Amino acid sequence: MNPLSEFIRGITKDNPTFGLVLGLCPTLAVTTSVENGIGMALGTLFVLVGSNVMVSAIRNHIPGAVRLPIEIIVIATFVTIVDMVMEAFTPALYESLGVFIPLIVVNCIVIGRAEAYALKNGVFYSTIDAFGEGTGFLLVLVLIGGIREFFGTGIIDPFGITVINASAVMNPAMFMILSPGAFLTISVLMTFVNYRKQQKAAKGG
Amino acid sequence: MVEKALFTIMLEGVFVKNFLLIQFLGLCSFVGVTKDVKSATGMSGAVVFVLAMSATVSFALFNFVLVPLKLEFLRTIAFIVVIAALVQLVEFIVRKHVPALYRSLGIYLPLITTNCAVLGAVLLNVMNDYNFVQSVTFGVAAGLGYTVAMLMMAGIRERSNIVNVPKAVGRGVTYAFFVATIMSMSFVNFFGVIPLE
């Protein structure tokens, strides 16, 4: 086990969305734009790191029977911090993410990692794992947000920086910004990922 | 602010702002427990019950405990604890009286705690400043909307077992999402039913 491979594992093999298939609600709900995706992912990353560190630090003192309630309380505490910080410093983003900020509490990735990783590993590796998973989540949200924002509005401009402006050459499809667009985007991406996995398996890899 | 009519809240919860297909709350169970109609029915029943109960309890908790003590910022923690306790209760009841259902729901029963639909409904109640009757109505409506979508999805998946699909799509999560795309497209058309403010 080395730190770098543990980090990369969170982005590739154990990617929250395509590997573990966890935390789908925010993945689909907030990705109407790259900006929302980044905001959501950073919030989740903070909660992930906080809860993984905390849970792994106290893992030898938690009785098995009550570990879930304790994990949930730890997570809820960090979510409350994110909630208050975002409300104070990024009110516009807070407004557009809405109910999904407090809902990080029930994001399966956070509790899944606390349960599957932080309970069994030391503080150092749990931190690395949290950063890996958080980064994997960030990349997925940016990808999906990018696809939806591009096809839905024709312009990708996170935080006021215009990355691509194609509104002159294409008519944006409202469909992609609405909920069916989210389902379509993720199903096509998942098909692609499955295809790659099967190709790899067929090669005997 | 004009009081929202109960019928509007009901319609919104079930169709216009369907939790699964429009608001993306509770997707884990949507793709996980919809392989057959029987477990989808059981899961929906459990969610409706937990939703109605937690809408009631959390309303009391928020308005009679957190607001007077000025502890509104603790609402996320307080609500999740209430929901966890309720789920535990449902689990006891189901395990004792309907063991077959308990076996088929398996891991998903305790997972209602981390089902975004339940906490989402409770938080939306607070954010929308609903009164008691409105809160409970919204909880029930959200549960019914959840049930409608779950049963549709399970029915479609059960009947399409004989259909050929590309290998890369398979019969799992990816397939469910393709079905959800089409279902969601039809639900989007309910937007016109209630004029948005």
Side-chain angles (χ1 to χ4, degrees):
Chain A
M1 211 155 78
N2 79 60
L4 188 66
S5 72
E6 286 294 289
F7 179 76
I8 301 225
R9 188 179 47 82
I11 300 173
T12 55
K13 189 169 139 273
D14 279 354
N15 185 290
T17 308
F18 296 116
L20 306 172
V21 199
L22 291 175
L24 294 170
C25 309
T27 312
L28 295 184
V30 303
T31 48
T32 47
S33 69
V34 174
E35 187 177 320
N36 287 352
I38 293 175
M40 183 69 203
L42 291 183
T44 312
L45 178 71
F46 174 78
V47 176
L48 250 173
V49 173
S51 78
N52 255 16
V53 168
M54 197 73 170
V55 169
S56 74
I58 59 173
R59 71 184 188 284
N60 294 328
H61 308 286
I62 309 178
V66 292
R67 60 169 210 287
L68 273 177
I70 291 181
E71 281 164 21
I72 289 181
I73 304 257
V74 168
I75 294 167
T77 311
F78 283 104
V79 171
T80 308
I81 297 172
V82 171
D83 194 61
M84 294 166 91
V85 169
M86 280 186 118
E87 191 173 10
F89 292 104
T90 53
L93 192 61
Y94 182 79
E95 193 68 24
S96 63
L97 294 179
V99 74
F100 282 92
I101 294 286
L103 279 180
I104 298 176
V105 174
V106 287
N107 189 326
C108 325
I109 303 170
V110 183
I111 191 139
R113 290 329 281 173
E115 183 79 345
Y117 200 93
L119 270 182
K120 299 183 190 108
N121 293 283
V123 175
F124 177 66
Y125 278 107
S126 297
T127 316
I128 302 278
D129 178 71
F131 272 108
E133 294 288 333
T135 314
F137 192 58
L138 175 73
L139 293 177
V140 170
L141 287 197
V142 169
L143 177 66
I144 298 181
I147 293 174
R148 287 181 69 190
E149 194 178 2
F150 179 72
F151 288 110
T153 63
I155 306 169
I156 301 182
D157 53 351
F159 306 105
I161 309 154
T162 308
V163 182
I164 300 175
N165 189 345
S167 52
V169 290
M170 63 182 257
N171 278 327
M174 260 295 276
F175 171 80
M176 292 302 282
I177 292 290
L178 297 175
S179 35
F183 281 121
L184 183 67
T185 312
I186 197 161
S187 25
V188 170
L189 287 176
M190 275 189 165
T191 309
F192 181 69
V193 171
N194 286 349
Y195 179 68
R196 294 287 307 176
K197 272 188 198 158
Q198 282 164 4
Q199 256 188 345
K200 233 175 166 180
K203 272 186 200 148
Chain B
M1 203 179 94
V2 189
E3 284 270 292
K4 256 191 201 165
L6 290 184
F7 183 68
T8 314
I9 294 180
M10 202 77 184
L11 212 58
E12 253 186 25
V14 181
F15 295 113
V16 182
K17 293 185 181 165
N18 186 288
F19 262 40
L20 290 171
L21 294 169
I22 304 297
Q23 306 221 52
F24 308 111
L25 293 165
L27 288 178
C28 299
S29 52
F30 188 48
V31 294
V33 210
T34 47
K35 288 221 173 70
D36 59 289
V37 174
K38 202 163 158 261
S39 21
T41 317
M43 183 70 188
S44 311
V47 167
V48 172
F49 181 72
V50 175
L51 259 171
M53 293 279 286
S54 54
T56 316
V57 178
S58 66
F59 180 85
L61 182 73
F62 188 74
N63 287 288
F64 302 131
V65 180
L66 295 185
V67 173
L69 293 175
K70 297 209 171 15
L71 289 175
E72 288 100 328
F73 67 91
L74 283 181
R75 61 177 189 215
T76 313
I77 301 182
F79 290 162
I80 194 78
V81 171
V82 166
I83 293 168
L86 281 171
V87 169
Q88 204 76 47
L89 188 74
V90 175
E91 201 183 334
F92 283 143
I93 297 171
V94 173
R95 179 151 48 172
K96 188 146 189 299
H97 295 290
V98 211
L101 181 64
Y102 181 76
R103 275 193 298 277
S104 77
L105 288 184
I107 187 172
Y108 288 98
L109 203 49
L111 276 186
I112 296 182
T113 312
T114 53
N115 189 326
C116 332
V118 180
L119 186 62
V122 171
L123 286 168
L124 284 173
N125 272 337
V126 171
M127 287 180 178
N128 290 334
D129 284 324
Y130 282 164
N131 65 29
F132 180 68
V133 181
Q134 285 172 323
S135 298
V136 177
T137 313
F138 184 70
V140 174
L144 289 181
Y146 180 89
T147 312
V148 168
M150 285 287 277
L151 290 184
M152 279 169 67
M153 174 63 117
I156 292 172
R157 282 180 82 176
E158 212 173 65
R159 276 162 189 73
S160 59
N161 265 340
I162 45 169
V163 179
N164 279 324
V165 289
K167 212 171 119 224
V169 176
R171 299 228 170 266
V173 180
T174 318
Y175 180 67
F177 274 132
F178 272 113
V179 176
T181 310
I182 297 163
M183 284 168 65
S184 173
M185 271 153 91
S186 56
F187 268 73
V188 163
N189 293 309
F190 285 120
F191 278 166
V193 175
I194 296 173
L196 294 172
E197 62 269 28

